[in-house]
Amino acid sequence: MKKKSLFLMFALFGAVLLSGSLLTACTDEDNKVDNGNEGGQEEGGTEPDPELNFDGSPYVTKVIDYRPAPGQFVNTMPSYEEGDTQETMNAKVLSTIGNGKNGFITLGAYGGYVVVGFDHTIQNVEGEKDFRIVGNAFIGNSEPAIVMVAYDKNQNGKPDADEWYELAGSEYNKKPTIKGYEITYFRNEKDHVSTPDLENYLSDDTYCPWTDNQGRNGYVYKNIYHDQDYFPKWITDNQIVFKGTLLANNGVDNGPDVYARWTLNAYDWGYADNTKDGDVFDIGWAVDLKGQAVKLPGVDFIKIYTGVNQYCGWVGEVSTEVGKIEDLHISAK
């Protein structure tokens, strides 16, 4: 009886050891952790940046969107023709400033923008300026635009909303600059009656009303020099909304000589249509919505929008004009 019990005891003990080993083996296999190093992923399981193409044409090869705010050159730079759509206007912009062309387009008053793309990624080279935007500014006549950039991280061929970053220029952290600005422009009613102010060279000083999220309102006045419709005619909506960063007014009224009184001063750096012969930009200036620096390998898309909401007498509204845009690294080759 004692021998049989002892045998059964040892047999049971051995079975427990064996089952424990098997259980441990199964548990280790079941709990095996994928550390993200397989399948080309970086440690931590995040997707690595794809192999980027930094070579191609130095110039814009596509226009994603062109949406100017009302302004005295809208529907003429480029020219609108009856039946034009968003697609045909985008094509006209490309034929004007794309592929190395030397023409100019207008962005109209505050917020009006153009979004362009390239056939490659513009490389972010540390310590160097990466691209140039040509405007028609000259000393005393700057109409600064804010520049945003997008890196096509998911390689879907379009700028997604979460891929845009502002290039923080010299005014970004200054007190007068307003982040989260929003403005709405309204098309005039069909029965609108013009209210001229010929002493100030205006054919209508109640033309194209606007309101903003700062409790202000005003008009994009129509002057006697440009009598076409200032509201983009291919846009069927009767109002347009723009959002972004608002820069402080740069126009100074020197009075009383009407033709010599206005000076539109340049900002220190970081804006388009700001200085003579074009403005250069560093992708390293990119910041996120919280103002934190963002390190991008390069950019595939550029957005440019008028950054000032100011009317300057006979000069009219501050409205950015944009010309050739080029990748400085490819141009240097």
Side-chain angles (χ1 to χ4, degrees):
M1 182 67 180
K2 290 181 180 178
K3 289 183 179 180
K4 185 176 180 180
S5 298
L6 187 61
F7 172 78
L8 289 174
M9 183 180 69
F10 279 114
L12 181 61
F13 183 71
V16 170
L17 288 176
L18 178 60
S19 63
S21 299
L22 291 173
L23 181 61
T24 302
C26 292
T27 304
D28 287 347
E29 184 63 32
D30 290 343
N31 292 339
K32 185 177 180 180
V33 177
D34 182 357
N35 63 13
N37 289 325
E38 296 180 1
Q41 291 187 331
E42 296 175 342
E43 187 172 351
T46 58
E47 290 288 344
D49 288 327
E51 185 174 345
L52 300 180
N53 173 30
F54 295 130
D55 286 318
S57 168
Y59 305 113
V60 168
T61 58
K62 51 191 170 185
V63 173
I64 311 300
D65 194 15
Y66 172 58
R67 198 170 181 85
Q72 62 185 315
F73 298 110
V74 173
N75 297 314
T76 66
M77 292 176 62
S79 295
Y80 168 85
E81 298 176 12
E82 195 66 36
D84 272 336
T85 63
Q86 187 64 64
E87 289 71 25
T88 59
M89 292 304 295
N90 289 351
K92 286 185 176 183
V93 171
L94 182 63
S95 68
T96 303
I97 67 170
N99 300 300
K101 297 292 182 63
N102 290 313
F104 289 96
I105 63 167
T106 187
L107 302 185
Y110 173 83
Y113 66 80
V114 65
V115 179
V116 300
F118 299 79
D119 63 0
H120 67 285
T121 301
I122 300 177
Q123 186 175 7
N124 181 9
V125 179
E126 188 172 354
E128 295 184 19
K129 301 298 188 294
D130 302 301
F131 61 90
R132 179 192 308 275
I133 300 174
V134 176
N136 64 353
F138 54 87
I139 295 175
N141 188 51
S142 298
E143 298 178 290
I146 292 169
V147 178
M148 301 186 72
V149 294
Y151 164 55
D152 191 11
K153 186 173 178 61
N154 60 15
Q155 297 292 290
N156 66 352
K158 60 183 180 181
D160 298 309
D162 62 349
E163 294 176 337
W164 283 112
Y165 300 97
E166 181 173 338
L167 296 188
S170 59
E171 310 307 296
Y172 183 80
N173 288 313
K174 292 186 178 180
K175 190 173 182 180
T177 300
I178 299 174
K179 314 291 200 314
Y181 184 69
E182 181 176 322
I183 189 170
T184 303
Y185 298 96
F186 300 91
R187 193 193 303 269
N188 283 99
E189 301 290 343
K190 291 183 179 180
D191 59 355
H192 171 72
V193 178
S194 299
T195 54
D197 180 4
L198 299 182
E199 183 178 349
N200 289 304
Y201 305 93
L202 300 177
S203 59
D204 189 358
D205 65 3
T206 57
Y207 185 78
C208 197
W210 59 263
T211 62
D212 67 15
N213 63 352
Q214 305 296 305
R216 300 178 297 194
N217 59 75
Y219 299 92
V220 180
Y221 305 128
K222 178 177 278 192
N223 61 50
I224 62 175
Y225 308 107
H226 305 281
D227 198 39
Q228 86 286 353
D229 194 339
Y230 286 13
F231 200 98
K233 296 188 72 172
W234 65 96
I235 294 176
T236 58
D237 294 337
N238 289 324
Q239 63 185 55
I240 315 178
V241 179
F242 296 101
K243 302 176 182 179
T245 297
L246 177 68
L247 303 174
N249 290 349
N250 71 315
V252 177
D253 184 353
N254 300 307
D257 185 334
V258 171
Y259 281 99
R261 63 190 289 181
W262 284 97
T263 302
L264 277 62
N265 294 315
Y267 292 121
D268 292 340
W269 54 271
Y271 302 96
D273 200 17
N274 188 49
T275 59
K276 182 181 177 183
D277 300 326
D279 301 275
V280 293
F281 298 86
D282 185 344
I283 296 171
W285 298 338
V287 295
D288 62 18
L289 291 175
K290 296 181 179 179
Q292 301 299 310
V294 176
K295 189 171 183 179
L296 302 172
V299 299
D300 301 280
F301 307 99
I302 296 173
K303 177 180 181 179
I304 308 161
Y305 68 91
T306 303
V308 176
N309 180 19
Q310 183 180 14
Y311 188 84
C312 301
W314 73 272
V315 177
E317 76 286 343
V318 174
S319 54
T320 299
E321 276 72 56
V322 174
K324 183 189 302 181
I325 305 169
E326 61 179 324
D327 180 333
L328 292 175
H329 306 309
I330 293 180
S331 296
K333 296 178 183 178

